[in-house]
Amino acid sequence: MGLLSDPNRRRALTNLLTRLNAPICVVCYLAGVMWFMGLAFEPFTLRTYMSENAMGSTMVEEHFPAGERALATGREFAAHKKKVGGMPVNWLVKTMESRGLEVFTQSFTRKLPFPDENKERYLVRGTNVYGILRAPRASRTEALVLTAPCSQGNANNQAVGLLLGLAQYFRSQVYWAKDIIFLVNEHDLIGMQAWLEGYHHTNTTGGDWSPLHGRGGSIQASLSLELSSDVITSLDLVLEGLNGQLPNLDLANLFHAFCQKIGVLCTIQGKLQRNDWESTSGYSHSAQTMMLMVLKQASGRPWGDHGLFLRYHIEAATIRGINSFRQYKTDTTTIGRLLEGMYRKLNNLLERLHQSYFFYLMPSLTRFVSIGYYMPAFGLLAVILLLRVSFHLSDRRGLGVGLTRYPGVLSILTPVVISHMTGVALYCLPVMSQEMAVQHFPVSETEAVVLTAIAIYTAGLALPHNTHRYTLPLVLKLVALLYLAVLLGCTALINFSLGFILALSLVPIAAFITPHTHKPLSAAIMVLLSPGCTLLYCVLIFQELQETPVSLQDGWMLFLSVISQGILDHSLYGSLVYPLLALLIYPCWLLLWNILFWK
Amino acid sequence: MAAFRSNIFMLAFFLCGFSVFVTGDVQTNQMNVAETVFIDNVPTTETDASPPSVTEQSQTAEEKRLWEGTEVGTNLADGASDNKVDHVHDTMQATDAPPSPPAKDQTQRFAFDERIWEATNVEINLVEDAPPIRDKEADEADHVLDTMQTQDFPPPSTAKDQFQEELVIKPLHSGDIYASFQFRTQWDTDFLLGSKVSHYRLFPKSLGQVISKFSVRELHISFTQGYWRTMQWGQPFLPSPPGAELWVWFQDTVTDVDLAWKELTNVLSGIFCASLNFIDSTNTVQPSASFKPLGVGNVTDQRFLRYAVLPREIVCTENLTPWKKLLPCGSKAGLAVLMKSEKLFHSSFHSQALHIRPVCKDWQCKSTSWELRQTLNVVFDLHTSGQGKREWSLFKMFSRTLTEACPLASSSKVYVDITDNPQGELFELSPATPLVSQAVVLGDGRTYSVYDLTDHATFGQTHSLNVLLRWRAAESGEMLRPLLHGERYVAGYGLQTGEIHTLVYNNHPYRAFPVLLLDTVPWYLRLYIHTLTVTSKGRDNKPSYIHYQPSKDRLQPHLLEMLIQLPPNSVTEVTVQFERALLKWTEYTPDPNHGFYVGSSVISALVPSVVAMDTNNTQERPLFSSFFPCKEESTYFMRIYTEPLLVNLPTPDFSMPYNVICLTCTVVAVGYGSLYNLLTRTFQVEEPSQGLAKRLANIIRRLRGVPLLT
């Protein structure tokens, strides 16, 4: 602080910052990116460890014997499903009752704002069936949940079979201290949303569901099971939930510990763990895993049925069985034993899972990067904005043409309001005007929504040209910089990945855009770094990382469907990414666009 | 010398007692049974003290006598104890007229008659009062020690302490089985009038002292592990909420009820090895209507009532052992031998309770005696213990069989509910018993097979009774939906607000009935009482009576009592919103992330009886008796408890304070001072003032005309 109290040195510092502002910003940006990429380097990350004492030292023995019977039940379920042409509610109720559970059903209806073309549904009607295993001598205050979706076609029959098999086995055990709820949900996330809202008696997204009649108290943890083949080669753990929320890291540790114990291959993001961190390929493997996690988290959508539990502060994860072409296969009995072990450990919990991290990235299943390690990467990017603000404040002459007729802060209101009105239009109009669009153009509803969104997005570029008459670019730029800094800072605190990706693309243009630059070139760069294009790159990179590269044509189609999914996620489950982009990020980018075209 | 003399006395009384046995009235003396008799006689009896030897006993007798002497002296001064002295002679001689009033004779005759009737008609009353049949030796010993005791310390003339025990086994529709023990000890004393009582026979002394010291009128305490599943199991005989529940009516002579309550909870905490000492003002309420006295007496002033629930209390063997010790036979004889904790706690539901209340002593109810009712309810699970095979036996449930009744018990019976099984088509009951009893339980006529343990024939040739139920049908039919049941849950998410929903179901097809709902909510959930809504069938249902006592932070909980009319065949939903308070950091429990408990709601109701609802029950009864439902059957009182709630409060990260302290100190020490300087001062570069020497030199230089020094 002596540095700042001394006026000479302070002046020197200011001079340095002003003079070397641009290089410092570039260095910060590069350092931020480097830091982020370094997170995947194994020596820089921490090994995962079990923090929860109740789950650590006490080992349990697994005895689940009835894998074959579970598969038979699964086949029976499949037959009934085919016969009924949907959820075999009566059969499920009867089967669960015969296993000694208290069985309840919940019906729900949901009308989507526009047809979902990926899953081909518009008006969704369904029934959830759940059975509660009452723990002996427990007073219905705590519960664990095991869910399996009743999917279309032949998917997930084995999961339902295993769920019923586990229910039967669990029922005959005496050690349960928490009620266990076995839920078979129809229409995957929509059914799950209906069940969770029914359980907690909330209604955040305007669905229509019948009230629940059986409850087990406050849910402590939940696992969602997806299993589509009789044998599997590996189990994949899915953690990313709604709005980028993650379950407590101990849940992942628990899964990993049991996979190790029982000898099941386990993956995260579909990627196996590798031990050759020294080699380039080893590093790029873990970097890919981490990037996949970042991209999934940034999307803000639930990547499995567990994703909606996180809103209710219920630790949840999806376990997905994968059958690839490997030699070594794992049978259902082993998966049953794995789940039994996990539930017994969760049953031992005295408190909710809270000891370990809630904010983390995983470059592999045994390594994690905690919030303290990854935040500096974002901080390095965010500091650029502040540096630019200080630069412009100390160096007014650079931009300030004619400070004498300083028009006041109110003058920037016009572009700010107009930008935000465009944002509001982008948020509301696509869904509202779909009918009109369908009438006038030969497109389906979904296409209408997406294309309207893109049209409004593009139209926004043309709008603000005549609004800057009374505004100084300096004031506008200062406001835009501060606005962006606050926005990105808040976003990164809630969803680091989203904040970081947005910062990567928006910070450079926000930092260096002035009215004096080469217009066509700058405009091209700005468009290429706009939020919409960032989304397109993310889609392409995601496909690349998943080792399913797509052509530009397919990528564009995928991009369109991602937009429609984003809007659907918002209206169905309350995902916040679409409103964030439309109402805040896009207007902010329009402000910068405005500066570029200042005459 | 004194010991020798007392030995001689002993011998004399022994002889005397023997002669009494030979000549005297057996029935009379049997009522004056002393506890110590059976300590010597039943070698397996578990007691708090080792069996005293003759010399020891005589010493204690001597001491007692000394003490008694002073007592008698004071009593003589009062002029109230002359009959006491008389009584000594009465019992010693035992040739005088029996001390019991004629009413007792009547009872006995009545009981005797009833027994004959029972044998012929194969139907007995549920509350029959048959005298137990005794071994000759036991009787002999009775008299011996009886007289020994009475010499020193005579019982009151009307003393007729009684002990009854029974076990009801009820197969439930879910396939589980419900076993309910009831032990009833009647203590024939009345210290309400101010007389001091220091002699205890069947009634446990520890409780008797508690009652007299704290002037308790009624005491109800229950320890429950698990939640009674009304929808699967129907109604329990005695409902209780999960955890510990305690409610006490004090005598109106108590001046400081709160103090008495506090001391009482601490004493009970010691007696039952439970955490009742955690009952304080923050979880104690005074309900205005929900808990009325169950004994005689018409006290309605709620100032003398205290009610508290500890939903978190874990009940285990350490609570069972002291509870068993309160029984006259301990767990060594009678039905209590079945109470092996490894089996009782290997169940779906376990509840033990204790109720003390004053009851009428005789038909006219001119005076009262104390009733101690100890109950233990267990539900055994079909799936975890049966391996799917539906077969129950006493041995399978308790890993013990019955071999004898408690010798102190005047009645000892095992009932098996066979209402759904009149012809034995559902399950087979062995050994078969000819005794059948009918009773109206919770508004429903039930039929029971009865095993009378005081009858030797019950045990058969194996000298043990192992009641066995073997199912014939796989399914046990549909259960009648319970007419009343309740549910409760917390709605909403996040850690700021929430909503408590209480659902009360009236499943009666055409009758509406009122219920009293009692909610006790801890202060750290701040109820927004203006958001209270009561809706039935989609319409607002205005409670006819609301008693609300707001909470005070860290002092008292919310109390909400409402009288709600439940429309027929409806669900009534009571919702109220709350805000979660942020506690002080020392107020959190050691496991704050587990959550905080809110005790069960209590729903008390007068429920219309099922008897009137039953359409095909006319076959066994005459037509004229079944048209109008008779009064006592038309409604019955019922109390049900909802689930307790587990609510998460905003919880700080308790590993953080150390970090926070370190960080704060660093920031204050390093950052604050400098930043403060920076913000409040302005810095200017100042030309350094020249030194005195330099100034002088410059003056000289100016004079000389040479350039000045800088």
Side-chain angles (χ1 to χ4, degrees):
Chain A
M1 287 296 153
L3 192 70
L4 293 179
S5 336
D6 184 343
N8 289 328
R9 285 195 229 157
R10 188 154 75 171
R11 200 176 302 130
L13 191 68
T14 321
N15 282 338
L16 185 76
L17 282 181
T18 318
R19 198 153 33 88
L20 293 179
N21 198 283
I24 292 176
C25 288
V26 171
V27 166
C28 277
Y29 188 82
L30 291 178
V33 176
M34 294 274 287
W35 187 293
F36 177 74
M37 295 314 290
L39 294 178
F41 191 49
E42 197 171 309
F44 295 165
T45 58
L46 292 174
R47 228 188 140 69
T48 53
Y49 55 92
M50 192 76 85
S51 297
E52 177 60 68
N53 283 330
M55 294 201 307
S57 57
T58 54
M59 288 311 277
V60 293
E61 286 179 14
E62 306 84 22
H63 302 289
F64 177 69
E68 286 306 311
R69 208 189 307 160
L71 287 179
T73 319
R75 283 191 285 273
E76 205 181 329
F77 170 74
H80 280 92
K81 189 163 85 173
K82 198 173 270 176
K83 202 166 73 188
V84 182
M87 181 101 152
V89 176
N90 293 329
W91 180 82
L92 268 176
V93 168
K94 221 163 63 200
T95 317
M96 282 188 177
E97 265 171 3
S98 72
R99 279 155 170 72
L101 308 183
E102 281 177 33
V103 190
F104 306 92
T105 57
Q106 182 204 26
S107 57
F108 57 91
T109 317
R110 191 70 214 252
K111 193 177 163 204
L112 273 58
F114 56 89
D116 184 353
E117 290 195 342
N118 285 20
K119 292 183 174 158
E120 293 173 354
R121 57 191 185 190
Y122 180 51
L123 182 64
V124 179
R125 277 176 211 284
T127 312
N128 293 322
V129 180
Y130 65 104
I132 306 180
L133 190 169
R134 295 291 182 197
R137 297 183 312 287
S139 50
R140 297 194 180 176
T141 48
E142 291 175 286
L144 302 172
V145 179
L146 176 61
T147 74
C150 169
S151 319
Q152 310 277 322
N154 271 330
N156 284 326
N157 293 333
Q158 285 83 355
V160 177
L162 184 56
L163 174 125
L164 292 171
L166 281 172
Q168 185 166 21
Y169 176 71
F170 284 3
R171 182 66 180 83
S172 57
Q173 305 306 316
V174 290
Y175 40 66
W176 300 114
K178 300 172 170 53
D179 290 357
I180 302 181
I181 302 176
F182 296 92
L183 167 68
V184 180
N185 55 315
E186 201 176 0
H187 299 298
D188 47 65
L189 283 165
I190 296 181
M192 191 58 86
Q193 171 87 355
W195 189 80
L196 278 169
E197 296 210 325
Y199 197 94
H200 294 96
H201 205 285
T202 54
N203 202 340
T204 48
T205 51
D208 185 14
W209 36 258
S210 63
L212 299 189
H213 289 289
R215 285 183 174 78
S218 97
I219 301 175
Q220 306 289 305
S222 160
L223 288 181
S224 190
L225 187 63
E226 290 178 21
L227 207 61
S228 298
S229 56
D230 289 359
V231 286
I232 56 143
T233 49
S234 61
L235 284 176
D236 189 40
L237 181 69
V238 186
L239 297 171
E240 300 84 5
L242 186 70
N243 291 326
Q245 277 184 289
L246 299 171
N248 196 283
L249 186 57
D250 268 345
L251 199 65
N253 296 339
L254 181 69
F255 171 74
H256 181 65
F258 270 97
C259 284
Q260 293 287 316
K261 184 185 174 192
I262 294 182
V264 183
L265 275 183
C266 52
T267 59
I268 189 163
Q269 320 298 349
K271 306 241 181 226
L272 275 172
Q273 166 132 20
R274 283 168 64 155
N275 294 323
D276 52 342
W277 57 269
E278 307 94 341
S279 67
T280 322
S281 67
Y283 167 74
S284 83
H285 183 81
S286 59
Q288 281 175 16
T289 316
M290 190 181 74
M291 296 273 278
L292 270 175
M293 179 157 187
V294 167
L295 287 173
K296 280 184 177 178
Q297 195 188 12
S299 76
R301 58 180 317 199
W303 285 82
D305 281 358
H306 74 280
L308 298 173
F309 281 89
L310 298 168
R311 176 201 295 262
Y312 301 92
H313 193 12
I314 299 166
E315 308 316 318
T318 296
I319 295 176
R320 190 171 287 159
I322 292 173
N323 194 13
S324 65
F325 301 105
R326 281 174 189 277
Q327 288 288 314
Y328 185 72
K329 305 275 185 189
T330 307
D331 63 347
T332 318
T333 311
T334 317
I335 307 169
R337 282 172 51 214
L338 179 109
L339 287 170
E340 184 202 349
M342 288 182 74
Y343 272 88
R344 285 195 65 178
K345 282 277 185 90
L346 291 172
N347 179 54
N348 287 346
L349 280 182
L350 297 175
E351 303 182 60
R352 279 171 186 278
L353 285 175
H354 69 283
Q355 303 274 15
S356 195
Y357 294 88
F358 285 98
F359 296 95
Y360 53 88
L361 295 174
M362 297 192 90
S364 75
L365 205 47
T366 51
R367 296 268 158 187
F368 76 102
V369 182
S370 77
I371 185 168
Y373 288 79
Y374 66 58
M375 258 335 200
F378 175 79
L380 284 169
L381 295 189
V383 82
I384 294 173
L385 298 175
L386 299 181
L387 279 175
R388 292 309 286 180
V389 170
S390 65
F391 170 73
H392 289 313
L393 281 178
S394 59
D395 186 40
R396 280 184 199 152
R397 280 150 303 237
L399 274 172
V401 194
L403 272 176
T404 44
R405 47 183 190 88
Y406 183 67
V409 182
L410 274 183
S411 65
I412 60 152
L413 215 58
T414 327
V416 169
V417 168
I418 288 181
S419 306
H420 281 87
M421 293 304 283
T422 322
V424 172
L426 179 59
Y427 175 67
C428 301
L429 284 184
V431 177
M432 281 164 63
S433 65
Q434 50 170 319
E435 281 177 29
M436 204 176 70
V438 170
Q439 279 168 5
H440 291 88
F441 300 99
V443 286
S444 70
E445 279 97 341
T446 319
E447 286 168 341
V449 170
V450 175
L451 294 178
T452 316
I454 295 177
I456 295 172
Y457 186 87
T458 323
L461 307 189
L463 261 182
H465 286 282
N466 45 13
T467 60
H468 46 69
R469 196 167 299 156
Y470 306 106
T471 316
L472 280 180
L474 171 65
V475 182
L476 194 59
K477 172 136 197 209
L478 282 179
V479 168
L481 280 174
L482 286 173
Y483 187 35
L484 188 64
V486 170
L487 263 183
L488 291 180
C490 294
T491 311
L493 282 180
I494 298 163
N495 184 345
F496 163 77
S497 303
L498 184 60
F500 187 75
I501 289 176
L502 288 175
L504 271 185
S505 66
L506 289 179
V507 164
I509 52 172
F512 294 106
I513 207 72
T514 56
H516 312 302
T517 48
H518 186 255
K519 286 254 157 51
L521 182 66
S522 306
I525 292 175
M526 273 208 74
V527 170
L528 286 179
L529 289 178
S530 74
C533 291
T534 314
L535 181 61
L536 178 62
Y537 309 144
C538 286
V539 170
L540 294 176
I541 295 172
F542 182 74
Q543 292 299 323
E544 196 66 39
L545 289 172
Q546 280 211 317
E547 292 159 18
T548 50
V550 287
S551 66
L552 213 58
Q553 180 73 24
D554 291 343
W556 176 254
M557 294 312 293
L558 212 55
F559 171 67
L560 297 186
S561 89
V562 162
I563 294 175
S564 74
Q565 288 300 316
I567 299 175
L568 273 181
D569 281 349
H570 170 60
S571 61
L572 288 182
Y573 320 120
S575 159
L576 291 173
V577 174
Y578 177 62
L580 176 80
L581 289 180
L583 294 175
L584 298 171
I585 301 287
Y586 174 64
C588 186
W589 182 83
L590 277 184
L591 288 180
L592 297 170
W593 182 255
N594 218 340
I595 294 165
L596 178 66
F597 286 96
W598 195 84
K599 286 167 196 156
Chain B
M1 188 61 197
F4 177 67
R5 200 156 59 197
S6 63
N7 271 342
I8 294 199
F9 272 126
M10 288 280 298
L11 193 65
F13 290 132
F14 187 91
L15 290 172
C16 185
F18 191 72
S19 66
V20 165
F21 171 67
V22 174
T23 57
D25 182 1
V26 174
Q27 293 292 332
T28 320
N29 278 301
Q30 179 220 317
M31 291 303 166
N32 299 331
V33 172
E35 208 171 353
T36 43
V37 175
F38 296 97
I39 295 165
D40 282 340
N41 247 296
V42 186
T44 49
T45 304
E46 177 192 51
T47 50
D48 36 2
S50 60
S53 68
V54 177
T55 36
E56 272 174 8
Q57 204 170 13
S58 61
Q59 272 168 357
T60 50
E62 182 82 8
E63 280 165 17
K64 254 185 195 166
R65 200 147 58 98
L66 286 172
W67 183 78
E68 188 67 20
T70 55
E71 190 80 347
V72 166
T74 50
N75 278 348
L76 272 177
D78 292 348
S81 71
D82 40 354
N83 59 341
K84 207 175 188 178
V85 179
D86 284 347
H87 186 66
V88 174
H89 291 284
D90 278 358
T91 354
M92 268 169 65
Q93 298 300 325
T95 44
D96 292 356
S100 56
K104 202 190 130 204
D105 257 354
Q106 273 175 14
T107 322
Q108 280 170 10
R109 206 176 308 133
F110 174 67
F112 184 63
D113 288 347
E114 204 173 48
R115 208 145 54 93
I116 295 167
W117 177 78
E118 173 190 315
T120 51
N121 287 5
V122 202
E123 212 168 274
I124 55 166
N125 234 344
L126 196 68
V127 285
E128 56 117 42
D129 193 12
I133 295 152
R134 284 289 169 80
D135 292 355
K136 201 177 172 189
E137 296 82 8
D139 271 342
E140 180 181 359
D142 279 3
H143 294 287
V144 173
L145 279 201
D146 236 355
T147 27
M148 254 167 56
Q149 285 286 334
T150 48
Q151 174 259 330
D152 284 331
F153 183 70
S157 57
T158 51
K160 45 164 194 173
D161 286 11
Q162 282 190 42
F163 176 63
Q164 292 167 290
E165 55 179 9
E166 67 180 43
L167 163 65
V168 184
I169 295 174
K170 185 178 174 187
L172 299 170
H173 286 269
S174 57
D176 303 335
I177 197 149
Y178 174 33
S180 171
F181 293 88
Q182 289 225 12
F183 302 92
R184 181 173 184 259
T185 312
Q186 209 172 336
W187 185 23
D188 212 5
T189 185
D190 199 357
F191 49 70
L192 299 186
L193 303 174
S195 60
K196 195 170 166 70
V197 176
S198 48
H199 184 58
Y200 294 89
R201 278 177 299 274
L202 298 179
F203 199 87
K205 188 173 179 181
S206 54
L207 287 179
Q209 286 177 331
V210 166
I211 298 172
S212 60
K213 177 161 194 312
F214 297 107
S215 303
V216 171
R217 175 181 289 274
E218 268 189 35
L219 187 149
H220 303 268
I221 185 167
S222 75
F223 299 97
T224 307
Q225 185 71 20
Y227 180 71
W228 182 267
R229 306 169 196 168
T230 311
M231 290 308 281
Q232 277 76 44
W233 297 341
Q235 296 294 340
F237 295 129
L238 274 170
S240 55
E245 184 199 40
L246 174 66
W247 56 286
V248 175
W249 278 94
F250 290 94
Q251 306 281 2
D252 44 15
T253 51
V254 179
T255 47
D256 190 347
V257 183
D258 285 321
L259 185 70
W261 168 249
K262 191 171 167 49
E263 288 179 8
L264 176 67
T265 53
N266 280 289
V267 168
L268 289 175
S269 163
I271 291 179
F272 292 105
C273 282
S275 327
L276 295 174
N277 51 332
F278 283 105
I279 293 176
D280 55 11
S281 70
T282 60
N283 47 23
T284 303
V285 289
Q286 303 171 35
S288 64
S290 292
F291 288 90
K292 289 292 161 203
L294 297 179
V296 294
N298 187 17
V299 193
T300 48
D301 192 349
Q302 70 195 59
R303 281 182 300 132
F304 299 104
L305 170 65
R306 291 293 181 276
Y307 174 81
V309 175
L310 296 175
R312 221 191 158 161
E313 180 74 14
I314 308 284
V315 184
C316 204
T317 46
E318 78 266 22
N319 306 109
L320 183 66
T321 312
W323 185 90
K324 281 197 290 195
K325 281 190 177 166
L326 299 175
L327 295 171
C329 288
S331 55
K332 295 295 180 191
L335 291 172
V337 292
L338 300 178
M339 292 179 190
K340 283 293 174 192
S341 28
E342 78 265 19
K343 280 293 183 183
L344 289 185
F345 290 101
H346 189 178
S347 57
S348 295
F349 177 81
H350 172 100
S351 169
Q352 60 191 66
L354 186 142
H355 304 273
I356 299 173
R357 58 176 182 178
V359 292
C360 289
K361 193 184 275 183
D362 46 27
W363 302 114
Q364 284 114 25
C365 204
K366 280 185 181 152
S367 57
T368 59
S369 60
W370 289 95
E371 182 199 69
L372 165 69
R373 211 180 259 253
Q374 285 178 263
T375 65
L376 187 127
N377 295 306
V378 195
V379 176
F380 292 100
D381 188 6
L382 169 74
H383 286 265
T384 54
S385 48
Q387 283 95 40
K389 203 169 141 201
R390 299 189 69 177
E391 190 179 299
W392 291 106
S393 66
L394 284 186
F395 187 77
K396 198 166 161 187
M397 285 189 271
F398 302 106
S399 73
R400 284 283 187 288
T401 55
L402 288 169
T403 50
E404 58 173 347
C406 170
L408 291 169
S410 59
S411 130
S412 176
K413 290 198 170 68
V414 177
Y415 296 86
V416 181
D417 191 331
I418 52 161
T419 315
D420 305 320
N421 187 37
Q423 310 301 325
E425 68 267 20
L426 264 185
F427 55 82
E428 182 191 334
L429 186 64
S430 69
T433 172
L435 298 185
V436 174
S437 157
Q438 281 193 329
V440 175
V441 183
L442 297 168
D444 192 8
R446 313 294 301 181
T447 316
Y448 296 93
S449 282
V450 184
Y451 297 88
D452 190 350
L453 301 187
T454 50
D455 184 3
H456 271 294
T458 310
F459 297 106
Q461 279 144 10
T462 52
H463 297 292
S464 78
L465 175 67
N466 183 21
V467 181
L468 178 76
L469 281 87
R470 192 178 288 123
W471 261 261
R472 295 209 169 114
E475 295 292 321
S476 50
E478 279 300 300
M479 187 181 75
L480 198 64
R481 262 170 89 82
L483 292 185
L484 172 69
H485 84 107
E487 275 174 22
R488 197 150 74 130
Y489 60 92
V490 180
Y493 60 90
L495 288 175
Q496 194 186 359
T497 56
E499 196 169 36
I500 295 179
H501 286 240
T502 311
L503 304 178
V504 188
Y505 291 79
N506 174 7
N507 292 328
H508 202 288
Y510 54 86
R511 283 268 196 95
F513 57 86
V515 295
L516 259 173
L517 179 74
L518 169 73
D519 253 330
T520 315
V521 181
W523 63 267
Y524 39 78
L525 301 188
R526 301 201 164 110
L527 291 187
Y528 293 156
I529 204 70
H530 69 278
T531 60
L532 178 74
T533 57
V534 184
T535 45
S536 312
K537 292 185 166 175
R539 250 178 298 158
D540 202 31
N541 183 349
K542 200 169 163 20
S544 48
Y545 165 78
I546 294 187
H547 170 69
Y548 175 65
Q549 180 194 316
S551 72
K552 287 182 193 153
D553 277 7
R554 299 173 180 86
L555 282 181
Q556 75 178 31
H558 302 268
L559 169 69
L560 181 61
E561 262 185 308
M562 285 184 289
L563 185 67
I564 309 169
Q565 183 80 9
L566 302 184
N569 203 8
S570 69
V571 188
T572 304
E573 186 166 21
V574 181
T575 62
V576 61
Q577 290 177 11
F578 63 86
E579 188 188 75
R580 300 162 207 243
L582 190 63
L583 302 185
K584 291 178 181 168
W585 71 285
T586 48
E587 286 170 343
Y588 286 95
T589 50
D591 52 352
N593 285 289
H594 178 68
F596 291 76
Y597 283 86
V598 180
S600 308
S601 301
V602 189
I603 302 168
S604 319
L606 278 176
V607 183
S609 167
V610 226
V611 175
M613 241 170 76
D614 207 358
T615 48
N616 54 1
N617 203 17
T618 45
Q619 61 227 17
E620 288 173 20
R621 290 194 292 171
L623 287 176
F624 62 81
S625 72
S626 60
F627 183 64
F628 290 111
C630 44
K631 182 68 185 138
E632 61 267 26
E633 284 181 351
S634 64
T635 58
Y636 59 97
F637 179 77
M638 184 191 273
R639 180 173 289 151
I640 59 170
Y641 293 91
T642 64
E643 306 91 326
L645 301 176
L646 186 61
V647 184
N648 276 86
L649 295 186
T651 310
D653 181 356
F654 285 103
S655 62
M656 282 304 272
Y658 176 73
N659 301 349
V660 169
I661 290 167
C662 290
L663 189 70
T664 317
C665 291
T666 315
V667 166
V668 168
V670 178
Y672 178 74
S674 315
L675 206 65
Y676 185 73
N677 263 340
L678 202 63
L679 290 173
T680 51
R681 291 187 190 172
T682 54
F683 297 93
Q684 282 169 350
V685 184
E686 206 174 75
E687 290 300 317
S689 62
Q690 293 164 335
L692 184 65
K694 210 177 207 177
R695 259 188 278 175
L696 286 176
N698 275 343
I699 292 168
I700 296 165
R701 277 177 175 243
R702 199 175 289 140
L703 291 177
R704 284 173 53 198
V706 279
L708 302 180
L709 287 173
T710 53

